[in-house]
Amino acid sequence: MIKVENLRRTFGPKVAVDGISFEVERGEVLGFLGPNGAGKSTTMRMITGFLTPCSGKISIGGFDVQENPIASKKLVGYLPENAPSYTDMTVQGFLGFTAELRGYRGSEKLKRVNRVLEMCFLEPVRHQSIETLSKGYKHRTCFAQSIIHDPDVLILDEPTDGLDPNQKFEVRNLIRRMGEKKAIIFSTHILEEVEAVCSKAMIIDRGRVIANGTPEELKMRSQRAGAVSLKVEKVSGESLKSELAKLSTAERVVIEDETETRTSALVVPKQKTMNGDFAKSIYNIATQAGWKIEQINTEAGKLDEVFREITMPDTVEMTEPKA
Amino acid sequence: MNKESFANIATVAKRELTGYFSSPVAYVVIIIFLLLTGFFTFMVGRFFDTGEASLAPFFIWHPWLYLFLVPAVGMRLWSEERRLGTIELLLTMPITTWQAIVGKFVASWAFLTLALMLTFPLVLTVAYLGNPDLGVIFCGYIGSFLLAGSYLAVSSMTSAMTRNQVISFIVSVVACLFLILAGWPPVTNMLVEWAPSWLVEGVASLSVMPHFDDIQRGLLDSSDVFYFLSVIVFCLFTTGVLIRSERGG
Ligand SMILES: Nc1ncnc2c1ncn2[C@@H]1O[C@H](COP(=O)(O)OP(=O)(O)OP(=O)(O)O)[C@@H](O)[C@H]1O
Ligand SMILES: [Mg+2]
C-alpha cells in the first residue's frame, strides 16, 4: 500500500531525512522510533503530501503522491504531530467539516461523525468547543478526524501522546484492530507500544534508518538478548565466576549484584540463541556445584536497550560489576 | 472546474465564515466599520451640507477605511492556520491548495460584503431626501466591493508569509497603502524627478485610486474591473506560491 523509495528532504543546510526506503502492506503496522529530531515527522509529512520531498518517490495504493496528490490523499487518514484542530469549532462541527472535505454529505456525514465520536469516546463532549477541551480530548478529536473515512492507510504521528493510561490502552487496541485491514504507520516514544501493536518497527536516527525488523528481531540486537540471568543463594561471586568459566559456550560472566544471601549474574553466550540450550547447560553446572537456584531465565532483550545502544553507541556499555 | 472543486471550496468557505462569527472579531469589525463610515460621511464629509443627493462623501473614504479594516479581517487567513498547525490538516485533505486559498478568500470577502451591505440605510436616506442617481450608487458599491476584495487578496498574501498575525497585519497595511499612494500626485511627482517615465507610469498604473474613482463616478469600465480582478488573481496566485514554497525544498 505504501511504498517509499530513497526519500530525502533538507531544510536549508540541514538534512532532515536522508534516503529512507520502506514498504508497508495492508495488514501491517509499522512503528517509527527514533530520538527527537530524527526525521520521523518530516517523513510522515512527505508521505501525506504536506511537504514535498527533495528527491525520492512515494506511492500510496499505486498513486504517486507527487503526480496524483488528490487520489493518494483520499486513501490516507492523517493525525499530525500535536493533533491540530480548529479550536473555535465544536467537536461535532469539526468532525463534520472534515467529513465534508472527504466528500460525505447529509445523513452519510452524520453517520460517519457519530461512528467516530463513539469509537474515540467523544460523545460526552460532542457539543463542546475544542478550545475548552483537555489535551487528551483534543488529541482524540484529531485522531477521530483521521479515521472518519475509514481509510486504507493511516499515518499517525504520536497517536497516544497526552492520553491517560486507559485511553492509551484503548487507542493501542484500536490501532491493532484496524491494522488487520489497513496499512498503518505510527511514531511513538513509548517502546512498549511498539511491542504491543507493531508488526514491524524501524529506528530512525539523523534521517537514516538504522535498524528495522519485527520487534522480536530488534530485541535480539540488544546485548542482553540471549544471555542467561541467574540468581543463586549464598554463593560468592568469585566462585560463581570460576565455576561458570568452565563453560566453553560462555563468553563472559557479569556479576550484577552480590549480597550475603544472594548473587545475581548475567552469563553472556558466545553465540546468541533463544532456544534455551545455553540456560540448560548453566543449570547443569549449577546443580553439579550444588547451588541453590532462585531464578534462571534467558533474557529476551529490551527494546529500550536496543534503542539506546544503537542511537547512542558510544555511551552505552553493558553494566560491569561494581568494584 | 467540476462539481467536486465547488463543493470543496464551499466547505472551506463555510467553515471560515462560521469561524468569523464565532469570534468577536467579526462583530467588532462590523461595528467599527459602520461607526467610522458614519463618522466620516456625516462629520468629516459634511454629507448634509453638500446639498447633493449622492453617496460620494461616503465612498470617498473607503480606500482609507479599508486600509485598516480589511487587513484586520484578512490577517488571520493563513497566519492562524499556521499558528494552530491546522494548515497541515487542511492541505493533507483531498483538496488542492488552490481550492483552499479560494475558499478562505471567498469567505472573508463575503464577510466584508456583508459589512458593506449593512450600510444600506444610507441609500434609503439619500433616496428619501433627494433624487439620487441609483446607477451611480450601485457603481459605488461595486467599486467598494472590488476594492475590499483587492485589499483582502493582499492580506491573504501577507498572511501566508508568517504565522504572526501582527506582522501579517502591518505588512498588509503597508502594501495596501502602496496601492493607494502609487498614483497619488505627491508620490508620482517625487518619482518623476529621477525615474524614467515608463517606470513612473508603471508604478502609477498599479494604484487603485484612479480605478476606484472612475467606478465611483459611475463609469463602470471593463478595464477598471479588470484591474481589480487582476490584483486579486495575482495576490491569490502569490499566496499559493508562498504556501507551496514553504512546503517545498
Ligand atoms: N520547517 C522546518 N524548518 C527547518 N527545520 C525543520 C523543519 N521541520 C523540521 N526540521 C528539522 O528537521 C529535523 C527532523 O525533524 P522532525 O520533526 O522530523 O523530527 P522527529 O523525528 O519527528 O522528532 P520528535 O521525536 O521530536 O517529534 C529536525 O532537526 C528539525 O529541526
Ligand atoms: Mg515528530
Side-chain angles (χ1 to χ4, degrees):
Chain A
M1 283 302 284
I2 310 171
K3 195 167 172 202
V4 171
E5 280 168 77
N6 234 325
L7 204 58
R8 222 180 108 86
R9 167 76 202 214
T10 55
F11 293 103
K14 183 161 179 64
V15 184
V17 174
D18 193 6
I20 286 184
S21 308
F22 60 86
E23 274 181 52
V24 186
E25 290 306 325
R26 202 184 278 276
E28 285 183 330
V29 181
L30 171 67
F32 269 5
L33 301 173
N36 292 131
K40 304 181 292 294
S41 301
T42 307
T43 306
M44 291 181 157
R45 288 186 179 127
M46 289 190 282
I47 297 173
T48 52
F50 179 64
L51 291 178
T52 319
C54 293
S55 64
K57 256 178 80 87
I58 308 166
S59 79
I60 292 180
F63 296 110
D64 188 287
V65 172
Q66 294 309 308
E67 280 153 26
N68 214 336
I70 302 296
S72 64
K73 283 174 184 176
K74 278 188 176 155
L75 298 175
V76 179
Y78 178 38
L79 169 67
E81 194 168 32
N82 301 325
S85 53
Y86 293 100
T87 49
D88 54 4
M89 300 179 100
T90 63
V91 173
Q92 183 168 341
F94 173 69
L95 293 176
F97 166 65
T98 55
E100 274 185 34
L101 286 182
R102 297 289 182 184
Y104 303 112
R105 295 289 186 288
S107 65
E108 175 69 12
K109 170 178 136 187
L110 200 67
K111 210 179 82 195
R112 296 265 167 183
V113 171
N114 284 333
R115 189 183 64 105
V116 293
L117 281 172
E118 191 184 330
M119 277 171 94
C120 300
F121 308 95
L122 287 166
E123 269 162 341
V125 297
R126 69 189 296 163
H127 296 299
Q128 202 172 326
S129 154
I130 296 179
E131 217 157 21
T132 63
L133 292 179
S134 71
K135 178 176 171 183
Y137 275 95
K138 279 183 191 152
H139 213 95
R140 270 142 64 185
T141 306
C142 194
F143 181 68
Q145 142 312 114
S146 70
I147 54 175
I148 202 150
H149 53 308
D150 198 17
D152 285 341
V153 172
L154 259 182
I155 312 285
L156 308 168
D157 204 345
E158 303 191 23
T160 55
D161 179 40
L163 301 187
D164 68 43
N166 296 336
Q167 285 301 326
K168 278 199 173 89
F169 179 78
E170 293 293 346
V171 167
R172 278 176 209 163
N173 277 345
L174 195 59
I175 295 176
R176 189 163 351 119
R177 243 184 305 129
M178 291 190 301
E180 287 164 13
K181 283 176 264 141
K182 302 179 194 301
I184 301 182
I185 302 180
F186 83 98
S187 73
T188 179
H189 290 297
I190 305 169
L191 297 160
E192 307 95 74
E193 213 151 74
V194 176
E195 289 177 67
V197 292
C198 292
S199 55
K200 286 200 293 189
M202 222 162 79
I203 302 181
I204 299 175
D205 190 18
R206 277 164 280 180
R208 292 168 176 276
V209 178
I210 50 173
N212 82 61
T214 65
E216 286 69 36
E217 281 165 3
L218 284 184
K219 278 194 288 187
M220 276 298 285
R221 296 179 61 153
S222 151
Q223 295 185 33
R224 260 186 115 85
V228 168
S229 78
L230 178 70
K231 268 186 200 162
V232 293
E233 274 179 22
K234 293 198 174 105
V235 179
S236 77
E238 278 310 304
S239 55
L240 201 138
K241 247 183 158 163
S242 60
E243 277 299 320
L244 289 174
K246 291 177 191 162
L247 203 62
S248 60
T249 47
E251 188 182 279
R252 60 190 168 129
V253 180
V254 182
I255 306 296
E256 292 190 314
D257 187 32
E258 188 174 354
T259 65
E260 282 184 8
T261 52
R262 179 191 303 127
T263 304
S264 0
L266 188 72
V267 192
V268 184
K270 283 183 178 142
Q271 292 246 306
K272 268 185 202 177
T273 53
M274 301 297 282
N275 58 16
D277 288 350
F278 186 58
K280 218 173 275 166
S281 54
I282 292 171
Y283 181 79
N284 289 340
I285 290 183
T287 43
Q288 271 166 26
W291 298 337
K292 202 162 171 209
I293 299 174
E294 208 171 80
Q295 188 196 338
I296 179 166
N297 65 287
T298 308
E299 294 273 344
K302 287 196 193 129
L303 267 182
D304 56 352
E305 278 169 10
V306 183
F307 187 85
R308 281 179 62 78
E309 279 164 22
I310 63 180
T311 57
M312 303 177 71
D314 308 331
T315 55
V316 183
E317 265 301 310
M318 191 175 304
T319 36
E320 287 295 334
K322 285 168 224 129
Chain B
M1 283 241 256
N2 55 13
K3 218 172 116 201
E4 200 176 292
S5 6
F6 271 119
N8 288 339
I9 291 173
T11 302
V12 172
K14 198 173 70 182
R15 197 220 75 76
E16 192 71 21
L17 205 55
T18 42
Y20 277 114
F21 287 100
S22 63
S23 79
V25 173
Y27 304 100
V28 171
V29 165
I30 288 183
I31 289 169
I32 290 183
F33 176 72
L34 295 180
L35 286 178
L36 286 183
T37 45
F39 173 75
F40 279 105
T41 311
F42 293 106
M43 311 304 284
V44 185
R46 310 184 75 81
F47 179 63
F48 291 118
D49 298 350
T50 55
E52 277 175 54
S54 106
L55 281 183
F58 163 67
F59 288 119
I60 199 167
W61 300 106
H62 283 199
W64 301 97
L65 279 179
Y66 284 158
L67 182 58
F68 295 98
L69 282 173
V70 173
V73 170
M75 65 184 182
R76 64 195 285 283
L77 274 177
W78 290 98
S79 313
E80 181 78 352
E81 284 299 322
R82 290 178 54 168
R83 193 180 61 81
L84 290 174
T86 42
I87 186 170
E88 198 170 336
L89 215 53
L90 187 63
L91 298 182
T92 52
M93 289 287 166
I95 64 174
T96 63
T97 311
W98 186 234
Q99 288 162 4
I101 291 172
V102 172
K104 286 169 82 72
F105 173 76
V106 164
S108 38
W109 201 5
F111 170 71
L112 286 171
T113 308
L114 174 75
L116 181 62
M117 290 198 309
L118 288 177
T119 61
F120 76 94
L122 267 180
V123 184
L124 299 182
T125 313
V126 283
Y128 175 74
L129 291 177
N131 213 347
D133 184 340
L134 288 177
V136 173
I137 291 181
F138 178 75
C139 284
Y141 272 101
I142 293 287
S144 181
F145 168 74
L146 290 171
L147 182 72
S150 308
Y151 282 12
L152 195 60
V154 171
S155 295
S156 164
M157 181 175 76
T158 62
S159 79
M161 292 174 187
T162 167
R163 71 182 59 214
N164 184 323
Q165 294 196 14
V166 177
I167 295 178
S168 153
F169 176 79
I170 293 173
V171 176
S172 171
V173 169
V174 171
C176 292
L177 188 63
F178 169 80
L179 284 186
I180 296 181
L181 294 184
W184 197 40
V187 174
T188 42
N189 290 346
M190 202 177 69
L191 277 178
V192 164
E193 305 274 306
W194 52 273
S197 63
W198 60 266
L199 184 65
V200 178
E201 277 162 30
V203 170
S205 70
L206 287 179
S207 175
V208 292
M209 289 311 255
H211 304 284
F212 182 69
D213 285 343
D214 277 358
I215 299 184
Q216 219 218 100
R217 273 186 273 120
L219 307 169
L220 197 55
D221 196 80
S222 61
S223 73
D224 294 325
V225 175
F226 181 77
Y227 163 81
F228 285 111
L229 293 183
S230 17
V231 171
I232 292 174
V233 169
F234 172 80
C235 289
L236 292 188
F237 178 78
T238 313
T239 306
V241 171
L242 286 169
I243 291 172
R244 225 175 287 260
S245 78
E246 197 208 349
R247 298 159 71 194

